[in-house]
């Protein structure tokens, strides 16, 4: 009974996850915001070695922390040329847009 | 009692492999050694399952179910992601515990002990990559030594009741990548060993070297799981010493207590490393008095802490069960031991909450229910242990 209760109501269990728990991307869509997953995709696509986050990202603690921990070992660096912005954020004039996704965009400054 | 001490031996070997994994990562041993260490751990788990398959079948089935739930549960909660599994991920990629010296991403509390993250990183090293799901099961593996050890004291239906207590109080903390459940169970079993070895005068335990070794492993593990473990182990030593002094019996056991106190060494080394690298503790630092003093004089703060800490439903049920057990069968020695430990720990918790650097209400709301699990679990465990020796009179 207790096992069933924990399993059903307290665990956040997803059968889809159990089907392939050792898959490299398993569970990321349940555990992470879409913005952060997209940052990872852009980092891989553009071969970014380090990155920085815009003001809006930094002010949103949830997105900020998830972006840092999920994308490790790629590190956040204050003086990085690559800055991720939220989709609706405006990019600084001194920066050039190099990638635009559904939820975020990457600029080189 | 199982005469061949099989469960105690399995407990000891599992615990030693967990601690050696931490030690190897500290000493920057080759990855191959770390992988072999983890494989040995898994072989021992398989041995436990298939040596006398029907023995302790409840644990074997339930543990398997918990592993399956863990493998089907994404890691999405804050502490699990931002602290524990992030630490594991860092150790995995950097292949060292000392990479925390750079204090990167300070929100992840780089000064926290790393026994569980180190174990999860080793599993990832064995698999060859990191993902969001499987490293978490190594946290669940850490529950195995105390759960196996307990079988030496509770058999059959009694063990099933014990497992019910585990599920009732620890619940999702068995598999969600947090360490509060681990602290609860390691503290409880450490207190139990302290009681068996130093308070209860039974020659079987006092003269059995195996129990001292297990105690040493559990004590070290307790301090290396979470900062609270350090305070809890200090409380255990203090209460035991005071009881021994009161009973004028310290002389016989002081040397054993001193040897066991070496279990603090790994965490002392870790804290020294943090101190030398400027990794601060959020709670014990220069701001402690600044936070504490304005709150200490207000009665409403104590009421609020009491509400969150002591009016927790699991704590109340455990307390009632504990009281009922000791009312049925009076064991003054054990009762006093647990009572002193609980009172000192509650006092420490009041102090910690009053000096929190974050918002007072937020801290209580987010932490009290899981922190009090340590006490709830211990009260329920010792209530059950006491009740197991109770004979119904007709």
């Amino acid at each position: 009974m207790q096992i069933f209760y924990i399993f059903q109501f307290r665990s956040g269990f997803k059968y889809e996850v159990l089907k392939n728990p050792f898959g490299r991307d398993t569970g990321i869509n349940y555990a992470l915001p879409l913005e952060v997953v997209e940052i990872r995709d852009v980092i891989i696509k553009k071969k970014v070695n380090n990155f920085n986050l815009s003001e809006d990202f930094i002010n949103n603690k949830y997105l900020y922390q998830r972006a840092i921990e999920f994308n490790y070992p790629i590190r956040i660096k204050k003086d990085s040329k690559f800055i991720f912005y939220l989709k609706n954020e405006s990019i600084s004039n001194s920066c050039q847009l190099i990638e635009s996704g559904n939820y975020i965009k990457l600029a080189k400054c | 009692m199982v005469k061949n001490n099989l469960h105690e031996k399995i407990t000891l070997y599992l615990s030693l492999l967990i601690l050696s994994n931490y030690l190897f990562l500290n000493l920057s041993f080759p990855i191959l050694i770390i992988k072999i260490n983890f494989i040995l751990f898994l072989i021992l788990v398989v041995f436990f399952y298939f040596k006398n398959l029907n023995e302790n079948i409840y644990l074997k089935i339930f543990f398997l179910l918990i592993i399956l739930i863990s493998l089907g549960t994404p890691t999405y909660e804050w502490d699990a992601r931002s602290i524990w599994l992030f630490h594991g991920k860092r150790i995995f990629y950097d292949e060292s515990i000392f990479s925390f010296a750079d204090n990167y991403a300070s929100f992840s509390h780089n000064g926290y002990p790393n026994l569980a993250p180190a174990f999860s990183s080793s599993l990832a090293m064995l698999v060859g990559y990191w993902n969001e799901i499987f490293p978490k099961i190594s946290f669940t593996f850490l529950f195995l030594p105390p759960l196996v050890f307990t079988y030496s004291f509770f058999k059959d239906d009694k063990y099933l009741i014990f497992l019910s207590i585990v599920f009732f109080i620890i619940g999702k903390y068995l598999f969600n990548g947090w360490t509060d459940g681990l602290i609860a169970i390691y503290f409880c079993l450490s207190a139990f060993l302290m009681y068996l070895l130093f308070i209860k005068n039974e020659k079987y335990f006092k003269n059995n070297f195996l129990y001292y070794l297990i105690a040493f492993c559990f004590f070290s593990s307790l301090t290396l799981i979470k900062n609270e473990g350090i305070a809890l182990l200090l409380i255990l030593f203090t209460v035991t010493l005071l009881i021994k002094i009161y009973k004028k019996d310290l002389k016989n056991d002081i040397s054993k207590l001193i040897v066991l106190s070496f279990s603090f060494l790994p965490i002392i080394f870790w804290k020294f490393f943090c101190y030398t690298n400027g990794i601060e503790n959020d709670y014990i630092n220069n701001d402690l008095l600044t936070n504490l003093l304005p709150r200490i004089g207000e009665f409403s703060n104590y009421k609020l802490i009491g509400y969150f800490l002591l009016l927790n439903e699991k704590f109340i049920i455990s307390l009632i069960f504990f009281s009922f057990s000791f009312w049925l069968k009076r064991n003054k020695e054990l009762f006093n031991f647990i009572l002193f430990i609980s009172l000192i720990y509650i006092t420490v918790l009041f102090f910690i909450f009053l000096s929190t650097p974050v918002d007072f209400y937020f801290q209580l709301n987010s932490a009290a229910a899981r922190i009090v699990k340590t006490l709830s679990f211990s009260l329920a465990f010792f209530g059950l242990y006491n009740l197991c020796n109770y004979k119904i009179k007709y």
Side-chain angles (χ1 to χ4, degrees), chain A residues 2-3 6-7 10-15 17-28 30-32 51 62 64-66 68-77, chain B residues 62 65-66 68-69 71-78 81-82 86 89-90 93-94 102 104-105 107 127 129-134 163-165 167-168 171-172 175 314:
Chain A
Q2 281 180 315
I3 282 270
I6 290 168
F7 167 77
R10 302 296 309 271
S11 69
F13 180 87
K14 305 282 177 206
Y15 181 65
V17 173
L18 185 62
K19 280 197 283 192
N20 184 19
F22 288 88
R24 282 179 187 263
D25 281 347
T26 305
I28 59 170
Y30 294 109
L32 291 151
F51 65 95
Y62 175 62
Y64 171 72
Q65 293 188 5
R66 292 295 147 266
I68 290 176
E69 54 93 352
F70 179 61
N71 290 304
Y72 198 84
I74 307 298
R75 290 179 173 228
I76 188 166
K77 235 175 132 184
Chain B
F62 284 128
L65 287 173
I66 291 298
L68 283 176
I69 294 176
L71 285 174
T73 310
T75 315
Y76 55 87
E77 291 179 284
W78 194 86
R81 287 207 69 93
S82 285
F86 182 43
K89 194 177 193 177
R90 286 201 64 184
Y93 281 112
D94 302 338
D102 61 7
Y104 176 70
F107 64 80
V127 175
Y129 56 87
W130 184 271
N131 90 351
E132 299 301 309
I133 308 295
F134 77 79
L163 280 182
S164 301
I165 291 171
F167 292 128
F168 174 63
K172 67 174 183 173
F175 54 79
K314 288 178 183 175

Side-chain angles (χ1 to χ4, degrees), chain B residues 42-206:
Chain B
L42 294 176
I43 290 171
L44 198 55
V45 173
V46 173
F47 173 80
F48 162 70
Y49 262 83
F50 292 102
K51 171 94 180 168
N52 305 332
L53 189 65
N54 290 330
E55 195 178 17
N56 202 357
I57 196 72
Y58 296 131
L59 175 61
K60 288 170 182 171
I61 292 169
F62 284 128
F63 194 74
L64 209 58
L65 287 173
I66 291 298
I67 291 285
L68 283 176
I69 294 176
S70 182
L71 285 174
T73 310
T75 315
Y76 55 87
E77 291 179 284
W78 194 86
D79 275 40
R81 287 207 69 93
S82 285
I83 303 176
W84 305 114
L85 285 154
F86 182 43
H87 284 194
K89 194 177 193 177
R90 286 201 64 184
I91 298 168
F92 168 71
Y93 281 112
D94 302 338
E95 296 179 1
S96 169
I97 285 177
F98 298 118
S99 64
F100 291 96
D102 61 7
N103 205 12
Y104 176 70
S106 58
F107 64 80
S108 74
H109 301 283
N110 289 311
Y112 281 12
N114 277 316
L115 185 74
F119 208 52
S120 68
S121 72
S122 300
L123 174 59
M125 283 171 189
L126 188 64
V127 175
Y129 56 87
W130 184 271
N131 90 351
E132 299 301 309
I133 308 295
F134 77 79
K136 191 158 46 76
I137 63 166
S138 57
F139 282 58
T140 307
F141 278 133
L142 295 185
F143 281 99
L144 210 46
L147 290 178
V148 172
F149 181 66
T150 313
Y151 188 71
S152 307
F153 301 90
F154 301 135
K155 292 280 182 293
D156 306 321
D157 293 347
K158 288 166 193 165
Y159 195 79
L160 196 57
I161 297 169
F162 164 72
L163 280 182
S164 301
I165 291 171
V166 172
F167 292 128
F168 174 63
I169 293 169
I170 296 177
K172 67 174 183 173
Y173 290 86
L174 285 163
F175 54 79
N176 68 354
W178 293 53
T179 52
D180 300 87
L182 284 168
I183 276 287
I185 203 156
Y186 272 89
F187 168 70
C188 176
L189 270 297
S190 297
F192 184 51
L193 278 161
M194 204 62 127
Y195 169 73
L196 293 178
L197 295 172
F198 297 106
I199 310 290
K200 189 180 187 184
N201 270 326
E202 207 169 290
K203 277 188 180 169
Y204 177 78
F205 299 112
K206 284 187 102 70

Side-chain angles (χ1 to χ4, degrees), chain A residues 51-68:
Chain A
F51 65 95
N52 201 353
L53 295 168
S54 67
E55 279 293 312
D56 282 10
F57 255 121
I58 291 170
N59 291 335
N60 184 330
K61 265 192 180 176
Y62 175 62
L63 288 180
Y64 171 72
Q65 293 188 5
R66 292 295 147 266
I68 290 176

Side-chain angles (χ1 to χ4, degrees), chain B residues 281-294:
Chain B
N281 185 315
D282 287 356
Y283 289 88
I284 315 293
N285 57 30
N286 294 336
D287 296 332
L288 190 137
L289 285 178
T290 320
N291 299 319
L292 179 69
L293 290 176

